Amino acid sequence: MSTVLSVRGLSVRFGGLMALDGVDFGVEEGTITSLIGPNGAGKTTLFNAVSGFVPASGAIELSGRDLTCLAPHARSRAGVVRTFQNLEIFANMSCLENVMTGAGRLSGYGVLAALFKTPRFWREERAAVARAEEALAFVGLAEHAATPAGDLAFGNQRLLELARALAARPTLLLLDETAAGLNMRETKALGGLITRIRDELGISVALVEHDMDLVMGISDHITVLTFGQVLARGRPREIQQNPEVIRAYLGEDE
Ligand SMILES: Nc1ncnc2c1ncn2[C@@H]1O[C@H](COP(=O)(O)OP(=O)(O)OP(=O)(O)O)[C@@H](O)[C@H]1O
Ligand SMILES: [Mg+2]
């Protein structure tokens, strides 16, 4: 098995706070790897550093390619695509248009082609529409293509965000608390969907999630962060039984 994401010695400082302090984190090809830990542990910061939204020191490689000197859009073009902890959808745009903003990352056309609507522009535009429709269908929102995104129920807005990320055809998908705010039934369905993203689309997934049933149910590997450092790594069962992890979550005194 090869490594898709390799993060080594990652550190991020916000003023006096070490949000990440020498973290090693990896995602093997074809796996769902979860990153868990208490609030403020640095999970979102790790995703931000990997996707290029916050400056970090350390090594970040995607399938052996150094990402550290790439801007966020170039990292997503390279195959690292993320969702956000807070929904980032365009409420007035249709679902299809929302997903197209993700599909666009593959389009090579420049400003001039878009301005003069060249044949190449239309060809790529059609391809982007097809990718967006495919992604909407994958998450089960095909019939909502023309619906304004703001009219969707909250759970479906989460799925829309997922579709937008899929339309970009990522190598590695970073999901930041996609289950937040979902009810039990929706969370279970989401778990099935993420598993299908791994198995049917062959996309490797890094998952930040507080819902432990979801994490334990679908993860191949788990890394536990506390206070910006790795506390433990292992299979779900090993993590569940790790006394240090239990202590960190229960906040017990030594
Ligand atoms: N842009 C920023 N500027 C200053 N401090 C920040 C910034 N982003 C995060 N932090 C701080 O860094 C630490 C880690 O935050 P982070 O958002 O990565 O935690 P998290 O593990 O994602 O938590 P949660 O589970 O609540 O989402 C926190 O103390 C947070 O307040
Ligand atoms: Mg977070």
Side-chain angles (χ1 to χ4, degrees):
M1 210 190 293
S2 65
T3 303
V4 171
L5 177 70
S6 167
V7 165
R8 290 184 308 278
L10 193 72
S11 295
V12 173
R13 177 189 285 279
F14 295 116
L17 173 79
M18 285 297 275
L20 292 176
D21 185 5
V23 170
D24 293 345
F25 176 71
V27 178
E28 298 298 314
E29 190 180 345
T31 68
I32 297 168
T33 299
S34 290
L35 187 62
I36 65 172
N39 292 117
K43 305 178 298 292
T44 296
T45 300
L46 189 144
F47 276 12
N48 285 339
V50 168
S51 45
F53 291 98
V54 301
S57 65
I60 305 169
E61 288 178 1
L62 183 74
S63 306
R65 177 181 177 193
D66 177 22
L67 293 184
T68 48
C69 40
L70 298 184
H73 70 275
R75 295 190 197 196
S76 88
R77 202 168 280 253
V80 182
V81 176
R82 68 176 299 182
T83 64
F84 291 87
Q85 189 164 349
N86 300 309
L87 274 175
E88 304 261 341
I89 60 163
F90 304 104
N92 297 321
M93 281 163 59
S94 75
C95 289
L96 186 70
E97 286 166 334
N98 266 275
V99 176
M100 293 250 329
T101 64
R105 97 159 169 100
L106 296 173
S107 304
Y109 58 72
V111 176
L112 286 179
L115 204 56
F116 294 109
K117 304 273 192 280
T118 60
R120 171 146 181 245
F121 168 83
W122 287 115
R123 210 162 48 238
E124 298 193 355
E125 189 72 1
R126 275 197 303 276
V129 170
R131 273 198 306 279
E133 286 173 341
E134 203 181 313
L136 272 179
F138 191 88
V139 303
L141 291 179
E143 72 272 32
H144 288 296
T147 308
D151 290 356
L152 290 182
F154 179 79
N156 282 341
Q157 292 185 350
R158 285 272 182 213
L159 295 179
L160 180 64
E161 232 197 354
L162 196 53
R164 179 171 54 198
L166 291 176
R169 303 247 168 111
T171 309
L172 173 70
L173 183 58
L174 308 176
L175 300 179
D176 196 353
E177 298 198 28
T178 305
L182 300 186
N183 64 34
M184 254 169 71
R185 184 183 49 78
E186 290 168 331
T187 302
K188 203 154 185 278
L190 178 69
L193 196 55
I194 296 171
T195 305
R196 284 178 52 218
I197 288 172
R198 177 194 60 192
D199 298 342
E200 294 174 25
L201 304 181
I203 295 170
S204 308
V205 179
L207 183 72
V208 164
E209 191 49 68
H210 281 292
D211 186 311
M212 283 307 122
D213 288 339
L214 177 62
V215 167
M216 297 303 165
I218 68 172
S219 303
D220 298 293
H221 302 285
I222 298 174
T223 296
V224 186
L225 273 188
T226 50
F227 302 110
Q229 296 186 329
V230 174
L231 179 72
R233 246 184 275 277
R235 300 267 175 192
R237 184 169 294 271
E238 295 165 334
I239 295 300
Q240 271 172 318
Q241 296 169 349
N242 183 315
E244 282 191 85
V245 174
I246 295 168
R247 210 174 298 134
Y249 268 93
L250 299 179
E252 281 177 7
D253 294 322
E254 302 267 346

CSV table of all heavy atoms in Angstrom, one decimal, residues 8 19 106 131 139 146 186 217 236 252:
chain,number,residue,atom,x,y,z
A,8,ARG,N,5.0,15.4,8.1
A,8,ARG,CA,6.0,15.1,9.1
A,8,ARG,C,6.5,16.4,9.8
A,8,ARG,O,6.8,17.3,9.1
A,8,ARG,CB,7.2,14.3,8.5
A,8,ARG,CG,6.9,12.9,8.1
A,8,ARG,CD,8.1,12.2,7.5
A,8,ARG,NE,8.8,12.9,6.5
A,8,ARG,CZ,8.4,13.0,5.2
A,8,ARG,NH1,7.3,12.3,4.8
A,8,ARG,NH2,9.1,13.7,4.3
A,19,ALA,N,-0.3,25.6,18.1
A,19,ALA,CA,-1.5,24.8,17.7
A,19,ALA,C,-1.2,23.4,17.2
A,19,ALA,O,-1.9,22.5,17.5
A,19,ALA,CB,-2.3,25.6,16.7
A,106,LEU,N,-10.7,21.4,-12.5
A,106,LEU,CA,-10.0,20.6,-13.5
A,106,LEU,C,-9.9,21.3,-14.8
A,106,LEU,O,-9.2,21.0,-15.7
A,106,LEU,CB,-10.8,19.3,-13.7
A,106,LEU,CG,-10.9,18.4,-12.5
A,106,LEU,CD1,-11.8,17.2,-12.8
A,106,LEU,CD2,-9.5,17.9,-12.2
A,131,ARG,N,-19.6,16.4,-14.8
A,131,ARG,CA,-18.9,16.0,-13.5
A,131,ARG,C,-19.8,16.4,-12.3
A,131,ARG,O,-19.9,15.7,-11.3
A,131,ARG,CB,-17.5,16.6,-13.4
A,131,ARG,CG,-16.4,15.8,-14.0
A,131,ARG,CD,-15.1,16.3,-13.4
A,131,ARG,NE,-14.9,17.7,-13.6
A,131,ARG,CZ,-14.5,18.3,-14.7
A,131,ARG,NH1,-14.2,17.6,-15.8
A,131,ARG,NH2,-14.3,19.6,-14.8
A,139,VAL,N,-24.2,11.6,-4.3
A,139,VAL,CA,-24.6,11.9,-2.9
A,139,VAL,C,-26.2,11.8,-2.8
A,139,VAL,O,-26.7,12.0,-1.7
A,139,VAL,CB,-24.1,13.2,-2.4
A,139,VAL,CG1,-22.6,13.3,-2.5
A,139,VAL,CG2,-24.8,14.4,-3.1
A,146,ALA,N,-31.6,21.9,-9.7
A,146,ALA,CA,-32.0,23.2,-10.0
A,146,ALA,C,-32.5,24.0,-8.7
A,146,ALA,O,-32.7,25.2,-8.8
A,146,ALA,CB,-33.1,23.2,-11.0
A,186,GLU,N,-29.2,10.4,9.5
A,186,GLU,CA,-28.4,11.1,8.5
A,186,GLU,C,-26.9,10.7,8.7
A,186,GLU,O,-26.2,10.6,7.7
A,186,GLU,CB,-28.6,12.6,8.6
A,186,GLU,CG,-29.9,13.1,8.1
A,186,GLU,CD,-30.2,14.5,8.5
A,186,GLU,OE1,-29.7,15.0,9.5
A,186,GLU,OE2,-31.0,15.2,7.8
A,217,GLY,N,-16.9,3.2,13.4
A,217,GLY,CA,-17.5,2.4,12.4
A,217,GLY,C,-16.9,2.3,11.1
A,217,GLY,O,-16.9,1.3,10.4
A,236,PRO,N,-9.3,1.3,15.1
A,236,PRO,CA,-10.4,1.7,16.0
A,236,PRO,C,-10.4,1.0,17.3
A,236,PRO,O,-10.5,1.6,18.4
A,236,PRO,CB,-11.6,1.4,15.2
A,236,PRO,CG,-11.2,1.6,13.8
A,236,PRO,CD,-9.8,1.1,13.7
A,252,GLU,N,-9.8,13.2,32.9
A,252,GLU,CA,-9.5,12.8,34.3
A,252,GLU,C,-8.1,13.3,34.7
A,252,GLU,O,-7.3,13.5,33.9
A,252,GLU,CB,-9.4,11.2,34.3
A,252,GLU,CG,-10.7,10.5,34.4
A,252,GLU,CD,-10.6,9.0,34.4
A,252,GLU,OE1,-9.4,8.5,34.5
A,252,GLU,OE2,-11.6,8.3,34.3
